[in-house]
Amino acid sequence: MALTTTEIKPSPFYDDRKPLIDPPAVAVTPCDPWPRPYYLENGLRRVAPYHYTYNTFCKQRWRGREILDIFAAEFRDRTREYYKQAIESGRISINGKPCNDVHTIVQNGDVISHTLHRHEPPVTAQPIRVIHETDEMIVIDKPAGVPVHPAGRYNYNSVVEIMKAERHFSFKPLPCNRLDRLTSGVMFIGKTSKEAEMISEKLRGRTMRKEYVARVKGRFPDGEDWDGDSMRGGIVKCEEAILQISPIVGLNRARASGKSAKTLFRRLAYYPTKPKQPTMSNLNIAQSNGHEAAQPAAAVPGTETEGYSIVHCLPLTGRTHQIRVHLQFLGHPITNDPIYSNRAVFGPNLAKNESTGENDEEIVAKLKLIGKTEVASSLSYEQEQLAKLVDQTQQMTVSAAVKLSEASQSPRPTESGPYFKPLPTGTLHAGSLPTTNGGDPDAEYGAFVKAHDEMVADYNKRKGEKMTGEKCSICDTPLYSDPGPHELGIYLHALSYADVAEGSWSYRSPVPLWALPPDGCDGPSDIGAWQYRGDEVLDIGDEREDAKVKDRIGLMKNKGQIE
């Protein structure tokens, strides 16, 4: 059979390739001041107000929502009316175009920009100490109260920006591990993206051990293998799963439906009575390497009436707020934690052994008040009473001063009687001072004034950041007061990071001041390494993927690609 040839006509070519689409346009920050406008005052690092443009990608929970509703719900440092005016005046844009309609729907992939006169909250003036440095990385001791990345209302007052300002404009510090803003301790900073990725991978390895130290309410349990030592305890294990309840207020709770979590604890010391705290007007100021720096506040009132414990913590997973949530579940929350030691939010038992979601909505609603008209410490039960006491003593007679002061130390109110006794009819300004038991009215008046001043000083010391009612003369932005001491950190410190594989490394920070024995008490002044029993196996599970996502987000924040 002979072969024949035929002419093959090619079919029309269909090019289904689409032209590349340019990424969404974004607004450009009007200026990027250098050197950064820092100044130190009253133990705080402050930033002079400046103009700035936020750029952020649409988050999943924002899709299909109106632009005004997103800003009012997610960015609570300003009022809904402010955001309405900002949208209508064109200061808020989507994909580089002014968004003048408050009802505009935000879609997936949108880039939202907001240009404003930025007012950053102050942070502690405590320096960022360098524990170890090589050509590839820096190990630092992060101060409490300073966020790692620029986020929310913080930009230049962040670890990344402070380190850049201290070294050079071109220096790009790349954090390799995460610490909450309120937590202090060991952090790793990469000098290049490659090194940061390598360090982050090592920190997620199964041979990595992280140790924390915390100061908690009451006498922490004796635990397993306790040898009877009145100070040091045995091992206490908590394996309650943790669920994120609200990303807006940063609330996490122990829930069976959450992600697996495991923490080991050991009591290092127990101090039965609370040491007297020095009376200070507004902030705790301490000397740190020759610098005056604001320090974390004393405990929330009532949390150390039974004394407090210093606890060694070994997290075997890495969930958000894991140590704080587990300590609260065990009934021994960190004593100055503005969230998990808050009786007005969680009740008198502080949610001990509570793993149901019956009160979650109410708890979130109360926490949303913080930073608006309320402050964290004023939401605690004792602080509400102290505030009332301060107000009432402004109007009370000298003869009732002692009785009312005694009432402030009494137990919670009962059905049989009020917490405070009724106010007398007379006032300090109603006439001559009455006497009691034939006493000297001048002496009684002096004693009353002294007691009243001490109560006012303690109340003011615990007042925190909230809206003052004043507005910026340039941008008409509602202004905030300075943060209270409780907002400058909590009693939780990342003490050590170590690779337990043979021949590896270990980095350790100094013991924080609040973990040292109080004056007149015996206790450990140094915290040794965790004494391993052989069963402390990391349960990293799906944590690796979670950490990779966090790292990608962190790198994008470092590059200024997202807020």
Side-chain angles (χ1 to χ4, degrees):
M1 180 178 178
L3 297 176
T4 59
T5 60
T6 60
E7 181 180 358
I8 299 177
K9 296 181 179 180
S11 59
F13 176 72
Y14 176 72
D15 188 355
D16 62 351
R17 293 174 297 178
K18 297 180 180 179
L20 293 176
I21 300 176
D22 292 332
V26 298
V28 179
T29 300
C31 64
D32 188 17
W34 187 267
R36 302 306 192 206
Y38 294 121
Y39 64 100
L40 304 182
E41 182 181 66
N42 296 331
L44 296 172
R45 178 189 294 269
R46 302 180 185 274
V47 179
Y50 58 96
H51 286 89
Y52 184 83
T53 298
Y54 288 94
N55 289 304
T56 182
F57 286 100
C58 171
K59 302 182 187 298
Q60 184 175 1
R61 63 179 180 271
W62 297 356
R63 298 175 187 174
R65 294 172 57 187
E66 294 184 356
I67 185 70
L68 178 58
D69 289 340
I70 292 173
F71 271 89
E74 299 278 341
F75 306 103
R76 300 180 298 120
D77 59 310
R78 304 193 182 210
T79 64
R80 185 181 184 91
E81 183 60 29
Y82 167 85
Y83 289 122
K84 182 176 183 294
Q85 294 177 358
I87 293 170
E88 294 174 344
S89 63
R91 297 198 301 274
I92 293 178
S93 61
I94 297 179
N95 301 330
K97 298 179 180 179
C99 173
N100 303 112
D101 185 358
V102 296
H103 300 294
T104 300
I105 301 298
V106 175
Q107 306 290 343
N108 184 30
D110 285 345
V111 175
I112 303 170
S113 305
H114 179 203
T115 300
L116 75 166
H117 190 231
R118 189 164 185 170
H119 298 256
E120 288 196 42
V123 299
T124 177
Q126 182 179 342
I128 298 175
R129 302 184 185 91
V130 175
I131 298 174
H132 181 74
E133 182 170 1
T134 67
D135 293 338
E136 294 80 25
M137 71 168 185
I138 310 172
V139 184
I140 66 169
D141 186 0
K142 171 191 167 304
V146 183
V148 176
H149 292 286
R153 296 171 60 211
Y154 296 90
N155 181 29
Y156 298 142
N157 266 344
S158 62
V159 170
V160 168
E161 289 294 333
I162 292 172
M163 292 188 70
K164 182 189 295 185
E166 290 176 346
R167 295 186 175 231
H168 192 269
F169 182 84
S170 61
F171 178 60
K172 301 292 184 183
L174 302 172
C176 305
N177 63 314
R178 314 290 174 210
L179 288 180
D180 292 340
R181 179 177 67 85
L182 297 177
T183 305
S184 59
V186 176
M187 278 197 64
F188 293 80
I189 306 294
K191 293 185 176 181
T192 66
S193 298
K194 181 179 179 181
E195 290 298 330
E197 186 175 350
M198 291 176 59
I199 296 170
S200 297
E201 187 65 26
K202 289 181 181 179
L203 296 178
R204 292 192 294 267
R206 288 188 178 275
T207 59
M208 182 58 53
R209 296 295 183 270
K210 299 177 286 187
E211 299 176 25
Y212 287 73
V213 61
R215 176 166 156 174
V216 306
K217 173 182 179 292
R219 189 177 191 275
F220 199 73
D222 297 327
E224 301 175 7
D225 303 326
W226 180 50
D227 60 5
D229 190 330
S230 60
M231 294 288 281
R232 186 178 178 85
I235 301 297
V236 175
K237 182 188 302 182
C238 186
E239 298 183 276
E240 293 295 318
I242 294 177
L243 178 68
Q244 184 183 63
I245 304 300
S246 171
I248 296 176
V249 298
L251 177 66
N252 297 270
R253 303 294 307 279
R255 293 287 183 273
S257 58
K259 292 184 177 181
S260 62
K262 182 178 181 180
T263 314
L264 303 183
F265 301 99
R266 182 195 293 273
R267 187 184 70 236
L268 297 175
Y270 169 60
Y271 302 108
T273 57
K274 177 184 175 183
K276 292 183 178 180
Q277 298 291 335
T279 301
M280 310 188 76
S281 60
N282 194 26
L283 295 174
N284 289 337
I285 307 295
Q287 289 290 333
S288 176
N289 289 350
H291 298 275
E292 282 194 346
Q295 301 293 313
V300 172
T303 58
E304 294 188 356
T305 54
E306 302 172 359
Y308 65 88
S309 299
I310 303 300
V311 176
H312 206 170
C313 315
L314 185 73
L316 299 181
T317 53
R319 308 304 177 199
T320 302
H321 291 187
Q322 175 175 319
I323 294 175
R324 297 166 68 182
V325 172
H326 277 176
L327 286 171
Q328 184 196 45
F329 181 83
L330 293 173
H332 299 272
I334 295 169
T335 60
N336 67 344
D337 193 322
I339 295 179
Y340 300 104
S341 277
N342 199 322
R343 280 185 169 85
V345 173
F346 292 101
N349 292 326
L350 291 171
K352 179 180 179 180
N353 295 327
E354 184 180 304
S355 58
T356 65
E358 296 177 357
N359 302 320
D360 284 347
E361 291 185 5
E362 180 183 354
I363 289 171
V364 171
K366 290 180 178 179
L367 289 174
K368 282 184 177 180
L369 292 175
I370 297 176
K372 290 290 188 178
T373 58
E374 303 290 343
V375 295
S377 63
S378 68
L379 286 174
S380 71
Y381 179 79
E382 291 79 6
Q383 280 305 110
E384 287 181 346
Q385 310 312 318
L386 181 57
K388 292 177 182 177
L389 181 60
V390 170
D391 291 338
Q392 290 181 2
T393 52
Q394 302 280 5
Q395 301 296 323
M396 64 179 294
T397 61
V398 174
S399 61
V402 176
K403 295 180 181 179
L404 192 55
S405 179
E406 290 173 351
S408 70
Q409 306 298 324
S410 64
R412 287 179 55 85
T414 63
E415 295 181 359
S416 61
Y419 187 85
F420 290 112
K421 298 180 180 180
L423 286 177
T425 55
T427 68
L428 283 175
H429 307 289
S432 60
L433 294 172
T435 62
T436 58
N437 298 325
D440 180 3
D442 290 337
E444 290 189 5
Y445 179 76
F448 164 69
V449 171
K450 180 180 179 182
H452 175 260
D453 288 346
E454 289 177 352
M455 288 186 292
V456 172
D458 185 66
Y459 174 59
N460 286 332
K461 182 178 72 173
R462 296 185 180 280
K463 285 169 60 179
E465 183 188 36
K466 64 178 181 179
M467 289 183 176
T468 63
E470 300 177 353
K471 293 186 177 182
C472 174
S473 60
I474 296 177
C475 63
D476 208 35
T477 298
L479 299 179
Y480 281 73
S481 62
D482 282 345
H486 63 278
E487 294 167 304
L488 294 175
I490 59 175
Y491 295 150
L492 180 62
H493 181 80
L495 185 66
S496 169
Y497 272 70
D499 190 340
V500 296
E502 185 176 354
S504 292
W505 46 263
S506 174
Y507 298 104
R508 202 169 192 86
S509 71
V511 178
L513 294 176
W514 48 258
L516 297 176
D519 293 340
C521 295
D522 294 328
S525 58
D526 188 26
I527 300 176
W530 184 275
Q531 297 179 358
Y532 292 97
R533 303 184 302 179
D535 59 348
E536 299 90 350
V537 179
L538 288 184
D539 180 16
I540 56 179
D542 60 347
E543 192 177 333
R544 282 181 176 272
E545 186 58 34
D546 291 346
K548 289 180 180 179
V549 172
K550 290 180 180 179
D551 287 342
R552 287 196 293 269
I553 294 174
L555 288 174
M556 295 176 73
K557 287 181 178 179
N558 288 336
K559 296 176 181 178
Q561 296 175 345
I562 61 174
E563 178 188 330

